[in-house]
Amino acid sequence: MTTAHKIIFALDSFKGCLSSVEAGQAAAEGAENETVEVLNVSDGGDGMLSAFCQAYRTERVSCNCHDALMRPIRADYGLVGDMAIIETAQACGLSLLESNERDAVGGTSYGVGELLIHAFERGTRRFIIGLGGTATTDGGFGMLKALYVHAGPAAFFDTYLPRWRNECSWILASDVRNPLYGPQGAAAVFAPQKGATPAEVVRLDARMQRLAQHAARRMGHDCSMLPGAGAAGGLGYAFLQFFGAQMQSGAELLLDALDFDARLRDAALVITGEGSADKQTLMGKLPWHVLQRTQKAHVPCCLLAGKVSNREELLKAGFREALCIHPAGIPVEERLRAEVTKKNLSVTTAQLLTRFFRGEIKE
């Protein structure tokens, strides 16, 4: 009788197609007769709330807030004890807008402030904030405005803001390292994805530089050039500057919460993945963090993706295999169909495991 092998599936979401769990479960269907663990993972971007709430065993709380266009919506966050898990994209996410609704200049993070207020008034004093997937490039000004409106002008700077800074701890879960402004800043790098024209990028960059200069004069310190300040359209900066937040790798934070290293002890193989894998994967994306952990534990790690570029670089970095799940020549619209992606994840996993356990995939 053949002994089943333990295989861990830790796939990030296939953006616009499958969630982390959906991708992992689809791939695991190709591991027939093996012992599988499917992990819900995120690096702080898409799917952060679901993954972190599951890992930290929180309850889901829903409240009224506004989206990036100031339309009333309901948004969730996680709550356990005095700790809240907040995904900024729940309030001002790009996925909440149609493509023709994107407004990089006018989009506001006001709703994020409303989520924070709701959690704070329920007794939350420890926050884990997921940065990513926002439709905004306002440097967190909208979020701060929500707090200002709630507290009133007389109390905001003198008592309200100091309470949030002194009474609370803030961890920013993100693997973005960009500063607030400049050639690698939030506007230059990310605003075009949110619908900004070249002229609007220049305008947004100048606006955030002015915001940072004004805050630095008033507060006596400047966090605008810290790594991660440009995350989520500059929300990273607002948390760093005004709340004294600490930036941590979202992937590392989640893998620790999942006790990932302990799970590796009896694993034969780890399969990770994402929608599109290339050399950018090696610059701190979730599969790279998974790879680092597996290498330390001497457990092989393979990568699956809807699209693979720079394959040799991925293999050189340590992935035992890096495979595109889709057949060559498949139309883009087919790649984005959930049922097609699920089937190809399962088929590719089955083929990969056959080769792996035959010893055909070498280090």
Side-chain angles (χ1 to χ4, degrees), residues 179-223:
L180 178 62
Y181 60 86
Q184 295 301 314
V189 176
F190 302 114
Q193 304 167 16
K194 305 174 185 184
T197 66
E200 288 173 334
V201 167
V202 174
R203 178 181 170 189
L204 288 166
D205 192 68
R207 186 171 74 180
M208 288 194 289
Q209 186 171 357
R210 289 194 301 272
L211 171 65
Q213 290 170 345
H214 178 77
R217 285 194 298 268
R218 185 179 184 99
M219 303 180 71
H221 68 274
D222 182 14
C223 295

Side-chain angles (χ1 to χ4, degrees), residues 132-156:
T134 68
T136 59
T137 313
D138 69 349
F141 181 80
M143 175 186 74
L144 296 169
K145 183 178 179 181
L147 272 60
Y148 180 86
V149 170
H150 183 76
F156 180 68

Side-chain angles (χ1 to χ4, degrees), residues 63-68 70 73 75 86 88 90-92 108-117 142-143 146:
C63 70
N64 293 320
C65 65
H66 291 83
D67 70 5
M70 286 301 289
I73 59 169
I86 291 181
T88 56
Q90 289 286 311
C92 61
T108 177
S109 57
Y110 193 94
V112 176
E114 293 174 305
L115 287 178
L116 298 180
I117 292 166
M143 175 186 74

Side-chain angles (χ1 to χ4, degrees), residues 150-188:
H150 183 76
F156 180 68
F157 282 107
D158 293 335
T159 60
Y160 196 65
L161 199 57
R163 281 191 67 197
W164 285 61
R165 186 180 182 95
N166 298 327
E167 294 181 15
C168 302
S169 65
W170 304 86
I171 294 175
L172 307 182
S174 175
D175 289 281
V176 171
R177 310 299 291 169
N178 303 69
L180 178 62
Y181 60 86
Q184 295 301 314

Side-chain angles (χ1 to χ4, degrees), residues 41 45 58 68 85 90 111 125-126 173 182 187 197 209-210 212 216 229 258 261 265 267 290 321 324 356:
V41 293
T58 74
I85 310 287
Q90 289 286 311
R125 293 299 181 266
R126 294 183 296 145
T197 66
Q209 186 171 357
R210 289 194 301 272
L258 290 169
D261 293 345
R265 290 173 190 153
V290 170
E321 183 59 284
C324 175
F356 180 81

Side-chain angles (χ1 to χ4, degrees), residues 4-22:
H5 307 90
K6 176 180 171 181
I7 302 171
I8 297 174
F9 291 86
L11 284 78
D12 204 349
S13 62
F14 280 47
K15 190 174 295 187
C17 185
L18 299 178
S19 69
S20 168
V21 170
E22 290 171 335

Side-chain angles (χ1 to χ4, degrees), residues 74-313:
R74 296 284 291 179
D76 289 355
Y77 64 89
L79 188 65
V80 55
D82 70 341
M83 183 176 76
I85 310 287
I86 291 181
E87 180 181 2
T88 56
Q90 289 286 311
C92 61
L94 194 62
S95 64
L96 301 177
L97 308 181
E98 299 294 335
S99 58
N100 62 351
E101 294 179 327
R102 296 178 182 180
D103 185 356
V105 174
T108 177
S109 57
Y110 193 94
V112 176
E114 293 174 305
L115 287 178
L116 298 180
I117 292 166
H118 192 272
F120 184 82
E121 294 193 338
R122 290 190 57 156
T124 296
R125 293 299 181 266
R126 294 183 296 145
F127 291 83
I128 296 177
I129 310 294
L131 300 175
T134 68
T136 59
T137 313
D138 69 349
F141 181 80
M143 175 186 74
L144 296 169
K145 183 178 179 181
L147 272 60
Y148 180 86
V149 170
H150 183 76
F156 180 68
F157 282 107
D158 293 335
T159 60
Y160 196 65
L161 199 57
R163 281 191 67 197
W164 285 61
R165 186 180 182 95
N166 298 327
E167 294 181 15
C168 302
S169 65
W170 304 86
I171 294 175
L172 307 182
S174 175
D175 289 281
V176 171
R177 310 299 291 169
N178 303 69
L180 178 62
Y181 60 86
Q184 295 301 314
V189 176
F190 302 114
Q193 304 167 16
K194 305 174 185 184
T197 66
E200 288 173 334
V201 167
V202 174
R203 178 181 170 189
L204 288 166
D205 192 68
R207 186 171 74 180
M208 288 194 289
Q209 186 171 357
R210 289 194 301 272
L211 171 65
Q213 290 170 345
H214 178 77
R217 285 194 298 268
R218 185 179 184 99
M219 303 180 71
H221 68 274
D222 182 14
C223 295
S224 62
M225 290 295 108
L226 291 182
L235 271 165
Y237 161 76
F239 282 105
L240 293 165
Q241 177 75 21
F242 294 94
F243 299 156
Q246 300 295 313
M247 185 74 68
Q248 291 190 23
S249 162
E252 292 295 326
L253 198 61
L254 181 65
L255 292 174
D256 284 341
L258 290 169
D259 205 9
F260 188 70
D261 293 345
R263 294 174 185 270
L264 289 174
R265 290 173 190 153
D266 58 347
L269 176 68
V270 172
I271 295 179
T272 187
E274 59 183 336
S276 180
D278 52 32
K279 60 184 178 182
Q280 297 294 321
T281 299
L282 306 177
M283 299 177 68
K285 294 176 77 173
L286 184 132
W288 182 85
H289 287 280
V290 170
L291 175 65
Q292 302 308 298
R293 299 285 186 112
T294 61
Q295 287 179 321
K296 289 179 181 177
H298 304 290
V299 176
C301 182
C302 294
L303 175 70
L304 303 180
K307 180 182 179 182
V308 175
S309 304
N310 314 116
R311 181 173 178 272
E312 291 305 316
E313 293 183 46

